Amino acid sequence: MLKKKERYNVAVVGATGAVGRRMLSTLEERSFPVAGIKALASARSAGQKLPFAGGEVVVEELRGDAFAGVDIALFSAGGGVSLEYAPQATRHGAVVIDNSSAFRMDKDIPLVVPEVNPDALKNPVTIVANPNCSTIQMVVALKPLHDRFRIRRVVVSTYQSVSGSGQKAIDELLVQSRQALAGEALEPKVYAHPIAFNCLPHIDVFLENGYTKEEMKMVNETRKILGDETIEVCPTTVRVPVFYAHSEAVNVETEKKLDVAEVKALLARQPGVELVDRPEANAYPLAINAAGRDPVFVGRIRADLTRENAVNMWIVSDNLRKGAALNAVQIAELLIRRLAG
Ligand code: A2P
């Protein structure tokens, strides 16, 4: 169990990965009270140096005994690693904040977006799950609408960047883009098909119901985070040739009478949201502007002309930040605030 301290020993598991590197930089940017930092990855990366707090941290091989003395362990090395090592970390007394899908739907494990359901985090806690990136940015925008109008149904199509599949996918888009422009054949490795100059309606594996696992994460995690099993979510998730930030076209239908001006006012006040909605100035959220930034950007807010009590919007956020590393560090901040309070 986490005990109140001035400063905490923090481990990042998967520190060399796309999310792990952001976890280190986010801890630093937000001046998280770090006493000591451990960067853990596979044996392949042991000895590699990563920048941290003006200096460097040497990557260590992930082993169970690496968690001795660790207070908070941020995991982002895939579900298999989390299943194997999170219990070892908690046995050493660390609180685990896990970015994989391994524990998200476990009813005893809180699934937390600090601006949305902070009260799900109850001490004593051993493992906290960080939601899926596409779900996080959507629920931050849905929360004030659900509180005010009660959401009945959400139809969402995503336009997800390749960084969500890790560093290898970032490299693949770069290589394939160059190959395509040079007229060379594209060789897919990370994805089933070329991603350069293409859109793939296929994220994570296909399930028996015809949806992908990514799509069902959006269905189930949205309900768990908003605490309402009756919300209907109808998702299509698509990988697009964008490096950073996910975009989403979202149609929201509510029970109570919905007013578009009020929707805008609610979103403008919602912590974590930045409204970018001035069509007259061609101003709306864009992936290239969201990349490297913290907020969930919302724009193109307009009434659904075919239905009462429904609104359309465009939600964009950096999937490695709010969709992963930032949300995980915010959970850690919430944990230590609770101890301080
Ligand atoms: P490594 O760089 O040593 O392979 P990404 O999502 O960008 O691909 O990053 C995945 C992260 O998870 C990397 O830091 C990677 O380390 C780490 N990782 C993957 N598999 C393991 C494993 N079996 N044990 C420890 N770390 C792992």
Side-chain angles (χ1 to χ4, degrees), residues 84-104:
E84 184 176 351
Y85 288 95
Q88 305 201 43
T90 60
R91 225 170 285 134
H92 279 95
V95 173
V96 169
I97 300 171
D98 181 39
N99 193 46
S100 82
S101 61
F103 304 107
R104 287 180 190 152

Side-chain angles (χ1 to χ4, degrees), residues 297-319:
F297 298 92
V298 186
R300 298 295 323 278
I301 301 168
R302 62 210 191 276
D304 179 338
L305 300 178
T306 67
R307 251 175 153 76
E308 256 192 286
N309 301 338
V311 67
N312 288 304
M313 53 191 171
W314 179 246
I315 303 173
V316 181
S317 193
D318 187 325
N319 52 298

Side-chain angles (χ1 to χ4, degrees), residues 1-2 13 67 70-76 78-113 117-131 224 327-328 331-332 334-335 338:
M1 197 181 116
L2 193 61
V13 179
F67 295 103
V70 169
D71 301 305
I72 301 171
L74 307 177
F75 274 66
S76 192
V81 170
S82 294
L83 284 171
E84 184 176 351
Y85 288 95
Q88 305 201 43
T90 60
R91 225 170 285 134
H92 279 95
V95 173
V96 169
I97 300 171
D98 181 39
N99 193 46
S100 82
S101 61
F103 304 107
R104 287 180 190 152
M105 294 315 296
D106 186 324
K107 69 173 179 28
D108 297 323
I109 291 188
L111 181 66
V112 178
V113 180
N117 63 337
D119 294 340
L121 201 60
K122 290 190 180 74
N123 262 326
V125 68
T126 51
I127 301 178
V128 187
N130 206 35
K224 180 167 175 179
N327 200 70
I331 291 172
L334 187 59
L335 273 172
R338 290 268 163 93

Side-chain angles (χ1 to χ4, degrees), residues 168-191:
K168 287 188 295 295
I170 297 172
D171 299 341
E172 180 148 313
L173 175 58
L174 253 182
V175 168
Q176 286 186 356
S177 300
R178 290 200 187 104
Q179 287 173 331
L181 291 171
E184 294 167 9
L186 308 184
E187 198 194 323
K189 289 189 186 128
V190 175
Y191 300 115

Side-chain angles (χ1 to χ4, degrees), residues 181-293:
L181 291 171
E184 294 167 9
L186 308 184
E187 198 194 323
K189 289 189 186 128
V190 175
Y191 300 115
H193 303 280
I195 183 64
F197 304 97
N198 207 3
C199 297
L200 309 177
H202 175 185
I203 301 184
D204 210 328
V205 295
F206 281 101
L207 303 173
E208 259 177 23
N209 66 2
Y211 284 75
T212 62
K213 201 168 163 194
E214 181 83 353
E215 289 162 348
M216 293 314 294
K217 286 176 197 166
M218 294 194 80
V219 173
N220 297 322
E221 294 182 22
T222 298
R223 290 175 173 165
K224 180 167 175 179
I225 298 162
L226 292 177
D228 186 342
E229 288 300 313
T230 68
I231 296 175
E232 295 173 319
V233 181
C234 182
T236 305
T237 58
V238 182
R239 189 73 68 189
V240 296
V242 166
F243 285 107
Y244 301 104
H246 292 350
S247 305
E248 299 176 340
V250 183
N251 178 271
V252 186
E253 206 175 326
T254 60
E255 188 176 289
K256 294 190 190 145
K257 184 146 180 50
L258 179 143
D259 174 78
V260 170
E262 196 181 350
V263 167
K264 289 187 188 180
L266 287 169
L267 285 167
R269 286 203 298 270
Q270 167 68 9
V273 167
E274 191 171 318
L275 219 55
V276 185
D277 200 12
R278 287 178 297 115
E280 68 285 1
N282 297 334
Y284 30 75
L286 293 174
I288 54 172
N289 295 339
R293 301 206 41 214

